[in-house]
C-alpha cells in the first residue's frame, strides 16, 4: 500500500490521514468530498453542527424567512391576485417552515452524507499542535491526535462581531444567529448595520410583523454594491414601514430589566427603544483558538493564501472559505473548496499544478467574478466589479445602464415594476468586468452575467446570445443596444438589431 492509498490508524492510537479538515460547514464538506473523490483518506473535525453556519444560522434559515415576505410582495403587484394577499403572513407557519429547512438544528443527515463518502468525523474542538498535527478535544475531554500526510485544511469560517459598547452584555443583543433562529417576531426591532445581513433581516422581520428601525453609520445601504442598489432597497423598506436613519452611530445600549425593552443611545444625542437589537456590523475569523501560534501564525488573524488556497509560507496548510477573507460567501467558499481539493490531490500525487489564472487549481473567480444575490424586496444582484472598483483598478471602462421596468418581461412580472441594470464594459478588451441588477425576481438573472464575466465573453459574441421574449432577461439586449448607441461608430460595425 502506497502512502497515497494508505488508510488511517497506522500509528496505533494516533490516526494518520492524507487530509485533515477542520470545520464541517459547506466548505469543509466540499474539501472532504474532493479529497475522497481523489482517493485520499480524510478526517473531518467539527465542534458544533455538521453543515455549519450556512445550514443552521445563515443562508438556509434566512432565505426561509425571506421567501414568504418577497413572494407576498410580488403577488401584491399582480393584477387579479393583489387583492387576495393583502393580509398578514402566518408568522408561526413561516417559522415552522424555517425550522424544517434547518432540520430542527440537528445534523444527522449531513453526518450521514460524510459517512457516505468515506470521511471520518471527529466531534470536538480541533487545534493545530504543529505542522500537519491536529489535536481534537471531544466534549467529554477525550483527545484524538491526528496527523495529516499531505494537508490540513482550515475551514472554520467566521463569527459575528459585536462592538464593545457600554451595556452590551446586559442588553443581550442579537447577532445573525439569533436573528435567523428567533422563536417569535419582536414587536420592535432595531437593526444596526446596512450590509447584506442587516437589510435581509430588516426585510424579513418587517414582513413578519415587527416594527423595524435601521441604524446606519454611513450614507446608505449595501455600500459594496452600486449606489443605486442600496437606494432602491431603502425606498422599498421605507414603503414597507421600516425607518432608516443614516449617519448615526450607537454609543451605548441599556436593558436594566432582563425581560424589558432595550434603549439604544445614539451619537447625536437621540435614543431608540426596541424589544430586540440586532448588530449586523461585521465578521471576524474563527482562528483565535486554532493553535496558530504553534506554527508561527497569529491567533485570531485572517489566513492569507495563494490562489490554490494554500497558506502563504507553508506547503501543507490550506485555509478555505471565509477564514481567508477573499470572498465571504457560501457559494464562493464551496468554489474554493473544489479548487483546493483538486490542488491537494495534485500535489499529493506530485502531479503538475495549474495555478495560472482560470486554471484548474486557481480560484481566479475570487478576484474577477464573485456573484452575490441580496434576497430583499427588490432583490439586488451583482457579479464582478462595480464602476468605482473598476476605475480604482485602472481600467478604462464605461457604465451602461437601463431601466429594468421598461423591459416587456418586467411589465408582465409586476405592475409598476421598478428596477435597474448596469454592465461595466472594459473598453480596451470589449468584455464585461461586472454587472448589477436590482428589481423583483432578478436573482435568477445573475448567472448569465456570471458566465459572461467569468468567460470574458466578447461584446460582439453577446449580440448572438438571444434572450427569449418576453422575459426580464431581454434587458441584456437593451444593455447592448445602449452600449452600441453611445458610440455612433458602432452603428456601422455592429448588427442593427431592432426591437
Amino acid at each position: 500500500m502506497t502512502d497515497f492509498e494508505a488508510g488511517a490508524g497506522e500509528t496505533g492510537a494516533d490516526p494518520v490521514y492524507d487530509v485533515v479538515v477542520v470545520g464541517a460547514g459547506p466548505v469543509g464538506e466540499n474539501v472532504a468530498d474532493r479529497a475522497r473523490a481523489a482517493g485520499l483518506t480524510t478526517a473531518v473535525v467539527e465542534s458544533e453542527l455538521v453543515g455549519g453556519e450556512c445550514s443552521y444560522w445563515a443562508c438556509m434559515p434566512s432565505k426561509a424567512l425571506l421567501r414568504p415576505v418577497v413572494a407576498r410582495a410580488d403577488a401584491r403587484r399582480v393584477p387579479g391576485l393583489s387583492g387576495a394577499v393583502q393580509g398578514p403572513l402566518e408568522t408561526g407557519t413561516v417559522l415552522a417552515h424555517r425550522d424544517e429547512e434547518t432540520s430542527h438544528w440537528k445534523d444527522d443527515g449531513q453526518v450521514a452524507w460524510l459517512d457516505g463518502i468515506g470521511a471520518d468525523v471527529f466531534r470536538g474542538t480541533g487545534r493545530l499542535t504543529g505542522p500537519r498535527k491536529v489535536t481534537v478535544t471531544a466534549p467529554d475531554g477525550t483527545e484524538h491526535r491526528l496527523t495529516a500526510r499531505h494537508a490540513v485544511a482550515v475551514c472554520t469560517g467566521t463569527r459575528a462581531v459585536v462592538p464593545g459598547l457600554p451595556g452590551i452584555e446586559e442588553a443581550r443583543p442579537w447577532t445573525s444567529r439569533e436573528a435567523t433562529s428567533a422563536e417569535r417576531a419582536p414587536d420592535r426591532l432595531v437593526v444596526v448595520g446596512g450590509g447584506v445581513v442587516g437589510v435581509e433581516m430588516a426585510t424579513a422581520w418587517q414582513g413578519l410583523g415587527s416594527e423595524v428601525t435601521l441604524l446606519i453609520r454611513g450614507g446608505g445601504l449595501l455600500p459594496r454594491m452600486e449606489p443605486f442598489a442600496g437606494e432602491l432597497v431603502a425606498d422599498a423598506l421605507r414603503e414597507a414601514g421600516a425607518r432608516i436613519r443614516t449617519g448615526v452611530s450607537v454609543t451605548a445600549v441599556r436593558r436594566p430589566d432582563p425581560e424589558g425593552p432595550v434603549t439604544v443611545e445614539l451619537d447625536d444625542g437621540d435614543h431608540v427603544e426596541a424589544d430586540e437589537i440586532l448588530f449586523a456590523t461585521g465578521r471576524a475569523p474563527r482562528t483565535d483558538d486554532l493553535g496558530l501560534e504553534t506554527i508561527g501564525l497569529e491567533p485570531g488573524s485572517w489566513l492569507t493564501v495563494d490562489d490554490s488556497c494554500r497558506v502563504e509560507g507553508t506547503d501543507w496548510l490550506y485555509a478555505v472559505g471565509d477564514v481567508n477573507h477573499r470572498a465571504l460567501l457560501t457559494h464562493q467558499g464551496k468554489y474554493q473548496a473544489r479548487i483546493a481539493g483538486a490542488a491537494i490531490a495534485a500535489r499529493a500525487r506530485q502531479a503538475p499544478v495549474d495555478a495560472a489564472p482560470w486554471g484548474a487549481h486557481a480560484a481566479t473567480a475570487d478576484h474577477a467574478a464573485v456573484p452575490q444575490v441580496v434576497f430583499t424586496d427588490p432583490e439586488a444582484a451583482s457579479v464582478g466589479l462595480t464602476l468605482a472598483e473598476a476605475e480604482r483598478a485602472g481600467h478604462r471602462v464605461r457604465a451602461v445602464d437601463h431601466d429594468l421596468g421598461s423591459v416587456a418581461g418586467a411589465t408582465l412580472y409586476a405592475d409598476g415594476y421598478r428596477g435597474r441594470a448596469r454592465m461595466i464594459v472594459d473598453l480596451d478588451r470589449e468584455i464585461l468586468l461586472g454587472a448589477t441588477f436590482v428589481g423583483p425576481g432578478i436573482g435568477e438573472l445573475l448567472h448569465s452575467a456570471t458566465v459572461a464575466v467569468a468567460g470574458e465573453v466578447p461584446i460582439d459574441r453577446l449580440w448572438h446570445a438571444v434572450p427569449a421574449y418576453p422575459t426580464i432577461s431581454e434587458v441584456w439586449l437593451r444593455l447592448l443596444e445602449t452600449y452600441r448607441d453611445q458610440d455612433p461608430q458602432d452603428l456601422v460595425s455592429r448588427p442593427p438589431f431592432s426591437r
Side-chain angles (χ1 to χ4, degrees), residues 28-369:
E29 289 176 321
N30 274 266
V31 173
D33 181 51
R34 291 298 83 209
R36 288 297 301 130
L40 296 170
T41 59
T42 304
V44 180
V45 181
E46 177 53 54
S47 61
E48 294 187 287
L49 295 175
V50 173
E53 200 81 12
C54 175
S55 298
Y56 306 106
W57 300 289
C59 313
M60 296 305 292
S62 66
K63 279 38 178 195
L65 294 173
L66 284 160
R67 177 59 189 148
V69 175
V70 174
R72 181 182 62 173
D74 282 346
R76 286 176 171 177
R77 303 183 186 105
V78 178
L81 180 60
S82 58
V85 289
Q86 291 303 316
L89 291 167
E90 296 179 1
T91 302
T93 303
V94 174
L95 297 181
H97 175 65
R98 182 271 318 270
D99 295 350
E100 289 289 332
E101 290 295 329
T102 60
S103 302
H104 298 273
W105 291 274
K106 297 179 181 177
D107 63 2
D108 299 17
Q110 304 226 35
V111 172
W113 182 84
L114 280 175
D115 288 342
I117 67 169
D120 290 347
V121 178
F122 288 83
R123 295 279 195 180
T125 301
R127 297 187 81 253
L128 295 165
T129 52
R132 297 184 174 84
K133 304 288 185 182
V134 177
T135 295
V136 183
T137 304
D140 64 1
T142 304
E143 287 191 348
H144 299 278
R145 296 176 177 84
L146 312 181
T147 298
R149 288 189 190 84
H150 300 294
V152 173
V154 173
C155 308
T156 50
T158 60
R159 56 177 174 80
V161 173
V162 177
L165 297 170
I168 195 74
E169 292 185 10
E170 294 77 10
R172 303 188 316 281
W174 281 7
T175 67
S176 53
R177 284 198 170 194
E178 291 78 17
T180 55
S181 61
E183 296 180 355
R184 64 176 184 85
D187 291 335
R188 299 167 299 173
L189 174 65
V190 165
V191 178
V192 183
V196 176
V197 173
V199 297
E200 286 193 346
M201 289 298 91
T203 300
W205 290 111
Q206 179 74 36
L208 291 169
S210 299
E211 179 184 295
V212 172
T213 300
L214 268 162
L215 302 176
I216 313 299
R217 183 169 57 184
L221 307 182
L222 301 175
R224 296 188 178 182
M225 300 184 85
E226 298 283 8
F228 65 81
E231 292 165 5
L232 287 168
V233 171
D235 289 346
L237 277 168
R238 289 190 181 101
E239 289 175 10
R243 293 187 298 166
I244 302 175
R245 297 185 60 176
T246 59
V248 295
S249 295
V250 177
T251 57
V253 288
R254 294 186 286 107
R255 197 195 296 256
D257 179 355
E259 303 303 321
V262 58
T263 299
V264 185
E265 298 180 2
L266 305 177
D267 60 352
D268 62 1
D270 200 359
H271 70 274
V272 182
E273 189 174 271
D275 299 288
E276 300 292 350
I277 180 170
L278 162 63
F279 280 94
T281 50
R283 311 285 298 182
R286 295 180 63 184
T287 60
D288 47 318
D289 191 30
L290 188 61
L292 292 181
E293 67 279 3
T294 68
I295 57 169
L297 296 175
E298 182 181 351
S301 65
W302 302 99
L303 296 175
T304 304
V305 299
D306 62 19
D307 273 358
S308 72
C309 295
R310 188 168 62 177
V311 174
E312 292 183 355
T314 77
D315 63 0
W316 59 274
L317 183 63
Y318 291 73
V320 193
D322 288 4
V323 74
N324 63 34
H325 208 234
R326 287 165 65 99
L328 278 66
L329 295 160
T330 295
H331 49 271
Q332 214 66 23
K334 292 163 70 174
Y335 160 72
Q336 293 175 17
R338 297 190 292 271
I339 297 294
I344 290 168
R347 288 170 175 142
R349 290 193 175 97
Q350 298 184 342
V353 172
D354 181 5
W358 306 112
H361 308 117
T364 310
D366 285 348
H367 311 297

